[in-house]
Amino acid sequence: MDLSRLLLPGLAVLLILAVLPVLRAAPLRQITRAGANSLLGLGALLLVNLTAPLTGVSLGFNLFNALVTLVLGVPGLGLLLLVQWVLT
């Protein structure tokens, strides 16, 4: 059996178990805001990639970029774009 097939679901379960106590303590409004921010971040990442032929700015849609935008939202996307700009 391939180890990479077990690694990603295992990491997802560990992340959920680590975040679960925080989610139980946080009010519903904060949870909703965090979820909306995550979805906006992923939507912005998709929008950046869709407009890449026109703007010349693109980020790969990979696991790292998706996780950064899920956790940090739109500011995370800005951070990724800034890091790409500095490194190129």
Side-chain angles (χ1 to χ4, degrees):
M1 184 165 222
D2 190 17
L3 182 63
S4 64
R5 286 187 149 171
L6 295 175
L7 187 62
L8 189 59
L11 287 174
V13 168
L14 285 175
L15 180 65
I16 290 170
L17 290 176
V19 173
L20 193 59
V22 176
L23 292 179
R24 293 184 74 199
L28 185 60
R29 183 174 181 202
Q30 289 178 341
I31 294 170
T32 305
R33 184 187 294 175
N37 192 20
S38 297
L39 289 177
L40 284 173
L42 282 178
L45 179 61
L46 179 65
L47 189 64
V48 165
N49 286 330
L50 287 176
T51 60
L54 299 173
T55 62
V57 177
S58 68
L59 282 172
F61 196 77
N62 55 30
L63 182 62
F64 178 75
N65 290 346
L67 286 176
V68 169
T69 55
L70 274 174
V71 172
L72 299 176
V74 176
L77 178 67
L79 179 67
L80 287 170
L81 289 171
L82 183 64
V83 167
Q84 181 186 18
W85 176 70
V86 167
L87 295 177
T88 56

